[in-house]
Amino acid sequence: MAGVLALGFAAFLVSYVLRSEKGSPRMQEISAAIQEGALAFLSREYRILVIFVVLAAIVLGVIPDLGWLVSLALVFGAVCSGLAGFIGMNVAIRSNARTAAAAERSLNHGLRLSFRAGAVMGMSVVGIGILGLSVLYFAFHNHDDFLKIIPGFGMGASSVAIFARVGGGIFTKAADTGADLVGKVEKGIPEDDPRNAAVIADFVGDNVGDVAGMGADLFESYVDSIIATMTLSMVAFTATLASPLAPDAATAWHLPMMIAAGGILASVIGAFLVRVGEKAEMGALLGALRRGTFAASILTGLLSLLAIELLDVNIDVFWAVLAGLVAGVLIGESTNYFTSYTFGPTRRISDASQTGAGTTVVTGFANGLMSTLPPVILVAGAILIANHFASIYGIAIAGIGMLSTLGITLATDAYGPIADNAGGIVEMSDLPPEIRERTDALDSLGNTTAATGKGFAIGAAAITALALMLSYALAAEIAQMGTGGIELVDPEKISLLNAPVIAGLLIGAMMPAVFCSMTLTAVSRTSHSIINEVRRQFREIKGLMEGEAKPEYGKCVDICTRDALREMIVPGLMTIGAPIVVGFVLGKYALAGFLIGATASGFILAVTMANAGGAWDNAKKYIETGFFGGKGSDAHKAAVIGDTVGDPMKDTSGPSLNIMIKLMSIVALVMAPVLVDVNGIFD
Amino acid sequence: MAGVLALGFAAFLVSYVLRSEKGSPRMQEISAAIQEGALAFLSREYRILVIFVVLAAIVLGVIPDLGWLVSLALVFGAVCSGLAGFIGMNVAIRSNARTAAAAERSLNHGLRLSFRAGAVMGMSVVGIGILGLSVLYFAFHNHDDFLKIIPGFGMGASSVAIFARVGGGIFTKAADTGADLVGKVEKGIPEDDPRNAAVIADFVGDNVGDVAGMGADLFESYVDSIIATMTLSMVAFTATLASPLAPDAATAWHLPMMIAAGGILASVIGAFLVRVGEKAEMGALLGALRRGTFAASILTGLLSLLAIELLDVNIDVFWAVLAGLVAGVLIGESTNYFTSYTFGPTRRISDASQTGAGTTVVTGFANGLMSTLPPVILVAGAILIANHFASIYGIAIAGIGMLSTLGITLATDAYGPIADNAGGIVEMSDLPPEIRERTDALDSLGNTTAATGKGFAIGAAAITALALMLSYALAAEIAQMGTGGIELVDPEKISLLNAPVIAGLLIGAMMPAVFCSMTLTAVSRTSHSIINEVRRQFREIKGLMEGEAKPEYGKCVDICTRDALREMIVPGLMTIGAPIVVGFVLGKYALAGFLIGATASGFILAVTMANAGGAWDNAKKYIETGFFGGKGSDAHKAAVIGDTVGDPMKDTSGPSLNIMIKLMSIVALVMAPVLVDVNGIFD
């Protein structure tokens, strides 16, 4: 029902977006080029994913312990995830020119339009997620293998997500870096200048990476957290025990759904609160978005309480929800502190830019490392509190609490690239500079909210990955639910002092580092191709620099598409393959250690990269507002280099890590029935 | 006995060094300035450490569960560690001018002298380590509290080490960066130019950071690994059980000593093999050092086997030693692959320099992340194999195996800064350029061997930290030794699925990141002060740039000393305080998780930083040999920025992490008797 509400609201927003002005013919022309490139990328990407999903489905289908229903769930999850990304991106590519046109009228119109377009993505994600899970529930909840089927859905969603996030992430950052390095640095032409051959590819990248990739990413966060809660609670009830927390099995299943639904309702209401006056500055813009998200959080808390009362669940569960919700909000605040230039840390990076790029990079990186402190403490605290009140079930439910306001957070996140695109279109359409200023204000706000959204997504990913690990431990019969909570089947083996667990933990901790290395390298390689292509066009196309000839935008889009899709394959397959290899070689206990190690190190790396990247970006922007010499000064050049370093970290590697840690956990969960009797070589 | 042998060999080397030519008066003058600064720093540093050690001793003394003998051991450990660093540095500061003079004669003379001077440090460290532990053993081995006293020695050594490493590391990198940024970049004068006010501070830094700091660092590695083995085996035997591995308690105590002694003997022999022909190139130099270390490794293996046979210990223990030894050698090789410019990864960074500093930094960082793969797999493998053959005792013994050739590895490591100093003295004394070429060859070789040594030190640190964590678990009565190996006291609590363990693990994983952030920031801040001072002197001292006036070298040394000592305090105290806070607040089980999380994440971060830093440095050197435009090209400028970023990572933060993870484990071990009955708030 909530799913229908979300999709209904999405439809309403779509009609609002489509009804608004399309902008001048020039704007429509640019927008059409972006649409073409984005859709071409997505269709090629989905073609590759179809092959992968079909193969994975066959493999799962033929494994006797799993079977075809698991395959079916996998395919269904993949389709839902793809759909969520597709809808969101389709709206985004239709709203960039419209946002530009709206910004011609006023800042408020621009904000409203871009935000509502972003909200479509948010609502689609949660709507499709809830509907998809409900379909599975009603179809199979009496089936014996229900607990095997449900994780299949998550694995489908996560697989699509990792490829979409990595592929899209590589595309967007390679195009961005390539365009900037040749255009801004070598040729000295402005950002988004139509003479730059990579500029359309850059716009396309915003849509395929920051919108479609992120949609798939958050879809899987959402779905996985619900799945983790469901499997944990179902195991508790199928163990034919009366839980001290909830009166019956159906309730334990309905509760996460209802909390999620409450979050959606709260997000819808919050979304209506996002509006600013005509002569708004940055502060007012940020205030408007924060009003929306805060209101949504408080409402979610109240609705969760209501749900818990209605279902007659033990009130202790509410404290777990609240722990997650509060931790999420505070993580957002701490991210804001470490990445916004209204605070010290980012300003210190701007300051360090005066002594060159080296100190800029070191200071920014140090800032990113330090920024891990609050989220880790908050997540650890939420886990302890949730566990205290509602055992491991509480940990999963805290994850849901943190993610419940996803609808609006995602909207504040997805509107960023739309505003960015709108700005580009304004630049390329020779509109007056004050319009560009308005879209710039929107874009810059987008950077801050995107950073906040990322912090929150990473925290939620860590909790969800842990909850999935716990579900895995139950499914792999490492532990079982007893009257007093979890009971260990072979306590020595899962002890922290057991060598295979320790070895698995170390190997797991290494995985995110290797994964980041691969994705960073992929961006470098792809941007190298783009740089060469843009340089070639400036060299070979006569009259390009003078504005008498047009560059071949399509070539750059093609190169990005080809390279990004090629580069996404190895990191994606490695993520899916690693837990399987560890499970079969070192055994199911080592795999549990592996998952925890990966979650801990992935969490740290992801926060570091996201916040270092966000802070470098804003440190550059701070200088651009006139400090330390302003635009064009040596400090500014150093800050630009910092930003270049941070770009692939914050937009490719960092966010992909979120998916990575959950995907590994869910693969382990899906494979758990097969691993039950596997002995590791050192067991 | 072996300790005496090591110290005797050290004395022989000292006499060799002191007998050789002192160099020209100008060279002696510079050397005297370096000596003065280095000794001044060390004496001020030790004064601070005395205060800390006395306070810590009082605190431990008044705790009823610990007592004054633990305090005594702490003080003794601190004194031994300080002594090892002091002797090594004293020789180093006396051999820099002598090395310069020897290099005037030939490359071989230069290598021999600098290497033997470095070997003094190596031999002092192992000699004092073994002697110190033996004294404690003979004095207290029949004392009831012996197992509480021994870790006190390690804590003393580790505490001194962390302050020395962090303080020295900040000093050396701040001075280096400050000198380079103003001298090379702003003023365009050569490296080590006498007009640069920070140049003497830079030389002093090499001695206090890279020699004294490293000595304290490796002293504690050595001592801690032996302590971990001893406590593990003593617990096994005091539990009045016949171990299946060794015939009696005394043997289990003598074995690690004998393996360590074998390693010393092997190192001595290996050291004699380090010599090159007169017209040697880089390859021959590297070959000479590798011959020495390889020979030492093989000999150590053979001697360990002998020791095991002599003591009539189960041969299975030998496989554990071998697993550590082999893993150590292979980690060295993999480090070499990721950091030497004879291989692809570093050349790719040079290649990336052509598209600017941004891509240089990203490529180098990606390389560092990727380089974690082999060491982690090797360490995990060594742990599994060692545990398979000799249970957790095997893990500790594998750590000893890895560290047993420390004498020679440390020598190859410590000679680097001596050669570096010698090069600087050559530059400042207006000697002919071919002499500088010789010292440059020595220096560049030192970079490669330093990187290898670091990789190996980090791997050994990770294993040692794990072994200490296991000792802690026994001491805190989380587990006890039973007939079949470890037996858990309360299995549910130490399970990987227990929320406090998970929360502890996450918090632990965060600690290295925060620690790195602090140390990186400290370097930035201190180098900022230096930059301002050097700029001021160029501005205010008339005729300085023209070479008519002399800069005030002492000012820069003072600033570095003051700032480095101030900045070392917080990271050091945090490292010591964190495990205590976690233990008392979250309980002893969470603390076990905390230690493992810190070890895993510290291992990854340390390898990443050390190897990224080493590779950036060498990528710059590769360009300087004439590739991609050579010295002065845009690619070179980008590579210099990469090197600036890497410097504090590889010489301050990365190596400090080694100590940090072991120090936290040993603090936990010392506090274990107090924590036995402490309940965490979420237990």
Side-chain angles (χ1 to χ4, degrees):
Chain A
M1 217 240 354
V4 175
L5 172 69
L7 291 180
F9 187 56
F12 160 74
L13 292 171
V14 169
S15 80
Y16 172 88
V17 169
L18 294 183
R19 261 185 292 115
S20 63
E21 275 180 68
K22 284 185 178 176
S24 70
R26 169 75 182 147
M27 283 152 78
Q28 290 189 42
E29 181 197 340
I30 301 162
S31 179
I34 298 171
Q35 284 175 35
E36 194 192 339
L39 291 173
F41 175 82
L42 219 62
S43 80
R44 282 177 62 178
E45 183 180 74
Y46 284 179
R47 253 177 285 167
I48 295 176
L49 291 183
V50 166
I51 299 172
F52 165 79
V53 168
V54 168
L55 287 179
I58 292 175
V59 171
L60 295 182
V62 299
I63 295 176
D65 287 327
L66 299 176
W68 295 104
L69 285 178
V70 178
S71 304
L72 180 73
L74 174 92
V75 173
F76 186 46
V79 169
C80 285
S81 167
L83 196 65
F86 180 77
I87 294 177
M89 199 191 79
N90 252 295
V91 176
I93 55 183
R94 281 182 176 74
S95 41
N96 44 20
R98 288 185 169 89
T99 299
E104 276 194 272
R105 290 171 59 196
S106 84
L107 184 61
N108 192 25
H109 279 90
L111 175 65
R112 269 242 293 276
L113 196 97
S114 57
F115 181 75
R116 292 192 175 183
V120 172
M121 162 72 95
M123 294 302 152
S124 317
V125 161
V126 295
I128 297 176
I130 290 203
L131 279 182
L133 282 170
S134 300
V135 166
L136 275 188
Y137 177 69
F138 288 114
F140 299 112
H141 74 280
N142 287 322
H143 195 285
D144 282 347
D145 283 343
F146 182 60
L147 283 176
K148 295 182 183 171
I149 297 170
I150 280 283
F153 184 79
M155 183 172 162
S158 290
S159 306
V160 166
I162 199 134
F163 288 112
R165 199 36 142 159
V166 172
I170 294 171
F171 190 124
T172 180
K173 283 306 122 180
D176 191 9
T177 320
D180 283 0
L181 272 179
V182 184
K184 284 206 284 196
V185 180
E186 292 183 10
K187 297 285 169 183
I189 58 179
E191 185 153 359
D192 302 335
D193 190 287
R195 288 168 292 179
N196 193 325
V199 71
I200 294 288
D202 184 9
F203 298 157
V204 171
D206 290 341
N207 290 295
V208 302
D210 298 346
V211 182
M214 191 202 296
D217 175 350
L218 289 168
F219 179 79
E220 72 112 17
S221 297
Y222 201 61
V223 164
D224 285 357
S225 70
I226 296 181
I227 290 175
T229 319
M230 286 179 168
T231 42
L232 278 177
S233 53
M234 294 305 278
V235 171
F237 295 109
T238 50
T240 62
L241 291 161
S243 160
L245 301 169
D248 59 58
T251 304
W253 170 259
H254 283 124
L255 182 64
M257 283 295 203
M258 285 189 63
I259 295 175
I264 292 174
L265 188 63
S267 297
V268 170
I269 296 170
F272 276 107
L273 294 175
V274 177
R275 59 184 69 215
V276 291
E278 283 320 300
K279 46 192 210 98
E281 312 142 37
M282 186 73 179
L285 284 172
L286 196 59
L289 285 180
R290 284 167 75 119
R291 209 160 42 237
T293 46
F294 268 119
S297 302
I298 292 170
L299 257 175
T300 304
L302 293 176
L303 290 171
S304 305
L305 187 59
L306 191 68
I308 286 165
E309 288 296 324
L310 279 180
L311 291 172
D312 200 18
V313 174
N314 191 317
I315 187 75
D316 282 351
V317 172
F318 174 68
W319 304 118
V321 176
L322 201 65
L325 195 59
V326 170
V329 172
L330 292 179
I331 288 175
E333 292 303 299
S334 101
T335 310
N336 192 31
Y337 172 73
F338 281 104
T339 58
S340 156
Y341 66 62
T342 42
F343 298 100
T346 301
R347 289 191 181 182
R348 274 194 285 279
I349 302 174
S350 307
D351 186 36
S353 302
Q354 294 176 96
T355 40
T359 40
T360 311
V361 172
V362 171
T363 311
F365 189 61
N367 175 52
L369 288 168
M370 186 54 82
S371 73
T372 59
L373 198 138
V376 169
I377 299 287
L378 288 165
V379 164
I383 288 173
L384 287 170
I385 292 171
N387 180 71
H388 177 75
F389 283 107
S391 82
I392 55 168
Y393 175 76
I395 297 179
I397 213 107
I400 299 213
M402 200 180 272
L403 274 168
S404 55
T405 53
L406 185 70
I408 188 157
T409 316
L410 182 50
T412 64
D413 214 358
Y415 104 95
I418 297 175
D420 190 3
N421 258 226
I425 292 173
V426 168
E427 184 76 32
M428 288 184 76
S429 314
D430 296 318
L431 290 181
E434 68 261 29
I435 315 292
R436 175 79 209 209
E437 271 166 34
R438 283 184 201 150
T439 58
D440 273 355
L442 289 176
D443 181 23
S444 147
L445 174 64
N447 271 322
T448 307
T449 56
T452 314
K454 268 170 205 154
F456 161 98
I458 296 165
I463 295 197
T464 304
L466 289 172
L468 287 169
M469 192 279 287
L470 295 169
S471 302
Y472 155 76
L474 292 170
E477 296 178 15
I478 292 173
Q480 56 198 23
M481 290 304 278
T483 32
I486 268 191
E487 280 171 6
L488 304 175
V489 174
D490 188 346
E492 310 280 335
K493 290 270 176 81
I494 192 62
S495 148
L496 196 61
L497 311 179
N498 189 27
V501 170
I502 296 175
L505 209 147
L506 289 178
I507 296 173
M510 172 203 75
M511 291 296 297
V514 170
F515 180 84
C516 280
S517 174
M518 284 180 175
T519 47
L520 288 176
T521 308
V523 173
S524 290
R525 262 201 297 261
T526 307
S527 67
H528 213 81
S529 313
I530 294 297
I531 288 169
N532 288 333
E533 174 63 20
V534 178
R535 282 183 182 160
R536 185 194 67 78
Q537 293 200 14
F538 272 117
R539 206 170 49 235
E540 295 181 4
I541 301 179
K542 299 217 185 308
L544 179 54
M545 197 60 197
E546 295 73 32
E548 290 156 11
K550 279 174 91 176
E552 300 166 18
Y553 299 121
K555 278 266 171 66
C556 289
V557 175
D558 281 351
I559 291 171
C560 278
T561 304
R562 194 194 59 206
D563 284 17
L565 293 177
R566 197 183 50 216
E567 299 276 3
M568 78 180 183
I569 293 176
V570 177
L573 290 182
M574 182 189 75
T575 305
I576 295 166
I580 299 177
V581 171
V582 169
F584 279 102
V585 176
L586 299 178
K588 62 185 181 182
Y589 299 101
L591 180 53
F594 174 88
L595 296 177
I596 290 237
T599 302
S601 122
F603 186 18
I604 305 290
L605 262 179
V607 174
T608 301
M609 295 205 160
N611 290 355
W616 273 315
D617 194 347
N618 284 329
K620 182 194 70 178
K621 290 209 159 69
Y622 186 60
I623 292 180
E624 284 169 0
T625 64
F627 291 90
F628 307 117
K631 234 173 172 163
S633 64
D634 280 346
H636 184 244
K637 278 182 197 136
V640 167
I641 290 174
D643 185 30
T644 319
V645 172
D647 259 352
M649 291 187 180
K650 77 176 198 297
D651 291 327
T652 311
S653 301
S656 308
L657 280 177
N658 289 353
I659 308 175
M660 192 223 180
I661 56 178
K662 283 173 291 177
L663 177 54
M664 294 203 295
S665 292
I666 207 153
V667 168
L669 178 55
V670 169
M671 299 302 293
V674 187
L675 290 169
V676 168
D677 296 319
V678 169
N679 278 316
I681 52 172
F682 291 101
D683 262 358
Chain B
M1 219 233 3
V4 176
L5 172 70
L7 290 181
F9 187 57
F12 160 75
L13 293 172
V14 168
S15 79
Y16 173 89
V17 169
L18 293 183
R19 264 185 291 115
S20 63
E21 276 179 66
K22 285 188 177 171
S24 70
R26 169 77 182 143
M27 282 153 80
Q28 289 185 43
E29 179 196 340
I30 300 163
S31 181
I34 298 171
Q35 284 174 35
E36 193 192 337
L39 291 173
F41 174 82
L42 219 60
S43 80
R44 283 177 62 180
E45 183 182 72
Y46 284 177
R47 252 176 286 167
I48 295 177
L49 290 183
V50 166
I51 299 172
F52 165 78
V53 169
V54 168
L55 286 179
I58 293 174
V59 170
L60 295 183
V62 298
I63 294 177
D65 289 326
L66 299 176
W68 295 103
L69 286 177
V70 178
S71 305
L72 181 73
L74 175 92
V75 173
F76 186 46
V79 170
C80 285
S81 168
L83 196 63
F86 181 75
I87 294 179
M89 199 190 78
N90 253 296
V91 177
I93 55 183
R94 281 178 177 75
S95 41
N96 44 21
R98 289 182 168 89
T99 299
E104 277 194 89
R105 290 171 60 197
S106 82
L107 183 61
N108 192 24
H109 280 91
L111 174 64
R112 271 240 293 274
L113 196 99
S114 57
F115 181 74
R116 291 190 178 184
V120 173
M121 163 71 96
M123 294 302 151
S124 320
V125 160
V126 296
I128 297 176
I130 290 202
L131 279 181
L133 282 171
S134 301
V135 167
L136 276 189
Y137 178 69
F138 289 113
F140 300 113
H141 74 282
N142 288 322
H143 196 285
D144 282 348
D145 281 344
F146 182 60
L147 284 175
K148 291 181 185 172
I149 295 169
I150 281 284
F153 184 79
M155 184 171 161
S158 291
S159 306
V160 167
I162 197 131
F163 288 112
R165 200 35 142 160
V166 172
I170 294 170
F171 191 124
T172 179
K173 284 304 122 181
D176 190 10
T177 320
D180 283 2
L181 272 179
V182 184
K184 285 206 285 195
V185 179
E186 291 182 10
K187 297 285 169 183
I189 59 178
E191 185 152 358
D192 302 334
D193 190 287
R195 289 169 288 180
N196 194 324
V199 72
I200 295 287
D202 184 9
F203 298 156
V204 171
D206 290 341
N207 290 296
V208 302
D210 297 347
V211 183
M214 193 201 298
D217 174 351
L218 288 168
F219 179 80
E220 71 110 19
S221 295
Y222 202 60
V223 164
D224 285 357
S225 70
I226 295 181
I227 290 175
T229 319
M230 289 179 167
T231 40
L232 278 178
S233 53
M234 295 305 280
V235 171
F237 295 107
T238 49
T240 63
L241 290 163
S243 159
L245 301 170
D248 59 57
T251 305
W253 170 260
H254 283 124
L255 184 64
M257 282 295 200
M258 287 190 62
I259 296 176
I264 292 176
L265 189 62
S267 298
V268 171
I269 297 172
F272 277 107
L273 294 174
V274 177
R275 58 184 69 215
V276 292
E278 283 319 299
K279 45 190 211 97
E281 313 143 35
M282 185 72 179
L285 286 172
L286 195 60
L289 285 180
R290 282 168 74 120
R291 211 163 38 240
T293 44
F294 267 118
S297 300
I298 292 171
L299 258 175
T300 305
L302 293 174
L303 291 171
S304 305
L305 187 57
L306 192 69
I308 286 166
E309 287 297 323
L310 280 178
L311 291 172
D312 200 18
V313 173
N314 191 319
I315 186 73
D316 282 352
V317 172
F318 175 67
W319 303 119
V321 176
L322 200 65
L325 195 58
V326 170
V329 172
L330 292 179
I331 288 174
E333 293 301 301
S334 100
T335 310
N336 192 30
Y337 172 74
F338 280 104
T339 58
S340 157
Y341 66 61
T342 44
F343 298 101
T346 301
R347 290 194 180 179
R348 273 194 285 279
I349 301 173
S350 308
D351 186 37
S353 301
Q354 295 176 95
T355 39
T359 43
T360 311
V361 172
V362 171
T363 311
F365 189 61
N367 176 52
L369 289 168
M370 185 55 82
S371 75
T372 59
L373 195 133
V376 169
I377 298 285
L378 287 165
V379 165
I383 288 173
L384 287 171
I385 291 171
N387 180 72
H388 177 74
F389 283 106
S391 82
I392 55 167
Y393 175 76
I395 297 178
I397 213 105
I400 299 216
M402 200 179 273
L403 274 169
S404 54
T405 55
L406 185 70
I408 187 157
T409 316
L410 182 50
T412 64
D413 216 358
Y415 103 97
I418 297 175
D420 191 4
N421 259 226
I425 292 173
V426 169
E427 183 79 30
M428 289 185 74
S429 315
D430 295 320
L431 290 180
E434 67 263 29
I435 316 291
R436 174 80 208 207
E437 270 167 35
R438 285 187 199 145
T439 56
D440 273 356
L442 289 176
D443 181 24
S444 143
L445 175 63
N447 270 323
T448 306
T449 56
T452 313
K454 268 169 204 153
F456 160 100
I458 296 164
I463 295 197
T464 306
L466 289 173
L468 287 169
M469 191 280 286
L470 294 169
S471 303
Y472 155 76
L474 292 169
E477 297 178 16
I478 290 172
Q480 57 197 23
M481 291 303 278
T483 32
I486 268 190
E487 281 172 5
L488 304 175
V489 175
D490 189 346
E492 310 279 335
K493 289 271 175 80
I494 191 61
S495 148
L496 195 62
L497 310 179
N498 189 24
V501 171
I502 296 176
L505 209 145
L506 289 178
I507 296 172
M510 171 204 78
M511 290 296 297
V514 170
F515 181 85
C516 280
S517 173
M518 284 179 175
T519 48
L520 289 176
T521 309
V523 173
S524 291
R525 262 199 300 259
T526 307
S527 68
H528 212 82
S529 313
I530 293 297
I531 289 170
N532 288 334
E533 175 62 20
V534 179
R535 281 185 184 158
R536 185 194 66 77
Q537 294 201 15
F538 272 118
R539 205 173 47 236
E540 294 180 4
I541 301 179
K542 298 220 185 303
L544 179 56
M545 196 61 196
E546 296 72 33
E548 291 156 10
K550 276 174 92 176
E552 300 165 18
Y553 299 121
K555 279 267 173 65
C556 288
V557 176
D558 282 349
I559 291 172
C560 277
T561 304
R562 192 194 59 206
D563 283 18
L565 294 176
R566 196 183 50 214
E567 298 277 3
M568 80 182 180
I569 293 176
V570 177
L573 290 183
M574 181 189 76
T575 304
I576 295 165
I580 300 177
V581 171
V582 170
F584 280 102
V585 175
L586 299 178
K588 60 184 182 179
Y589 300 102
L591 180 52
F594 173 88
L595 296 177
I596 290 239
T599 303
S601 123
F603 187 18
I604 306 288
L605 260 179
V607 174
T608 301
M609 294 206 162
N611 291 353
W616 273 313
D617 195 346
N618 284 327
K620 181 194 71 177
K621 289 207 159 68
Y622 186 62
I623 293 178
E624 284 168 358
T625 64
F627 291 90
F628 306 118
K631 237 173 170 164
S633 63
D634 281 347
H636 184 243
K637 279 182 198 138
V640 168
I641 291 175
D643 186 29
T644 319
V645 173
D647 259 353
M649 291 188 180
K650 78 175 197 296
D651 292 326
T652 312
S653 301
S656 309
L657 279 178
N658 289 353
I659 309 174
M660 191 224 182
I661 57 177
K662 282 172 293 178
L663 177 54
M664 294 202 295
S665 291
I666 207 150
V667 168
L669 177 56
V670 170
M671 298 303 291
V674 187
L675 289 170
V676 168
D677 295 319
V678 169
N679 279 316
I681 52 172
F682 291 103
D683 263 358

